[in-house]
Amino acid sequence: MCKLCEIKPVYEFTNQRKLCERCFIRYFQKKVLYTIRKFKMIQQGDVVGYVAGTQGCTPKNIQKNIFTKGKGFRDVVLEDVLKMFVGKGNVELVRLPAHLRSQINKTDNKEKISKVAIAQTIDLTAYKIINALINKNVKNLEGVAPPVESKIIKPLYLFLDEEVLLYAKLRRLKHKKIKERKTELMNFINELEIKHPEVKRAIVNSYLALR
Ligand SMILES: [Zn+2]
């Protein structure tokens, strides 16, 4: 049972705390606001751009103009929480048209975009960190997957994919099922998470503690 409402839960954390639909949505939205504040992602007067189809996209892919087709669950959730955020202050939200996609890292874009939000979750961040450690070709681990990379911000940084997917379902956000290529390392980390719940979150938290 949801501790607050005493009704049927939709989500259970590993510490057995359970949340009903309404409480889960509230938890999720509050945590997004916390993430944006904690990592100073958006300031007053910012124009925040986002593109549909950055599903799992890395900043590198964005620079190279590589996008998935259609909106996946992370994309629709990112859009939903950004709309909630800009409703609260002097911040503008711009859905970037296709021809601007390649320019989002430049400062002289026509739309005066000052930040670009992408839908990177704990799952992808943990993968990037482990991948960098295994390949040992990394000079600066801190720079591998930070919550903010110059103009690029990641409001879903502290969420698991499963939380993002559940939020999309509960809010009835229309999205496409996008097949994502999984590497062996990704499968391995997913297996690890089943045996040791919270391992992905722990990887990202340890990484943040380095900074
Ligand atoms: Zn509740």
Side-chain angles (χ1 to χ4, degrees), residues 73-119:
F73 69 95
R74 299 189 197 100
D75 298 314
V76 290
V77 169
L78 180 68
E79 184 175 40
D80 188 75
V81 296
L82 284 173
K83 281 181 177 165
M84 171 198 70
F85 182 83
V86 298
K88 291 176 189 288
N90 175 29
V91 174
E92 205 184 317
L93 189 61
V94 179
R95 186 172 166 189
L96 296 172
H99 69 277
L100 265 181
R101 287 178 176 179
S102 57
Q103 297 183 25
I104 57 184
N105 263 333
K106 298 176 185 162
T107 43
D108 57 344
N109 57 64
K110 284 186 205 129
E111 308 263 350
K112 304 257 184 298
I113 306 295
S114 49
K115 300 282 165 62
V116 175
I118 65 168

Side-chain angles (χ1 to χ4, degrees), residues 2 5 20 23:
C2 175
C5 313
C20 72
C23 292

Side-chain angles (χ1 to χ4, degrees), residues 110-200:
K110 284 186 205 129
E111 308 263 350
K112 304 257 184 298
I113 306 295
S114 49
K115 300 282 165 62
V116 175
I118 65 168
Q120 185 175 316
T121 54
I122 285 180
D123 295 65
L124 187 71
T125 308
Y127 167 72
K128 288 179 79 175
I129 295 163
I130 298 297
N131 190 45
L133 287 171
I134 288 176
N135 289 319
K136 283 186 186 157
N137 55 3
V138 54
K139 289 191 187 84
N140 166 24
L141 186 63
E142 283 175 48
V144 165
V148 175
E149 294 182 51
S150 74
K151 286 177 68 183
I152 291 173
I153 59 170
K154 307 167 185 174
L156 304 179
Y157 194 81
L158 300 177
F159 293 101
L160 290 167
D161 272 348
E162 63 172 66
E163 295 176 293
V164 175
L165 188 59
L166 178 61
Y167 182 84
K169 273 187 195 155
L170 297 177
R171 295 272 291 161
R172 290 160 190 89
L173 304 171
K174 255 179 95 180
H175 59 93
K176 259 172 111 182
K177 227 185 189 169
I178 293 170
K179 218 180 165 196
E180 290 175 49
R181 209 165 49 93
K182 291 256 191 306
T183 63
E184 252 180 72
L185 181 59
M186 272 179 183
N187 290 331
F188 173 73
I189 297 173
N190 286 338
E191 290 283 313
L192 210 59
E193 177 82 23
I194 294 168
K195 283 176 201 139
H196 307 276
E198 294 292 310
V199 75
K200 288 178 188 172

Side-chain angles (χ1 to χ4, degrees), residues 38-55:
K38 179 174 167 70
F39 300 111
K40 302 183 178 68
M41 290 182 177
I42 301 174
Q43 280 80 38
Q44 288 291 317
D46 263 345
V47 180
V48 181
Y50 70 100
V51 259
T54 56
Q55 183 90 318

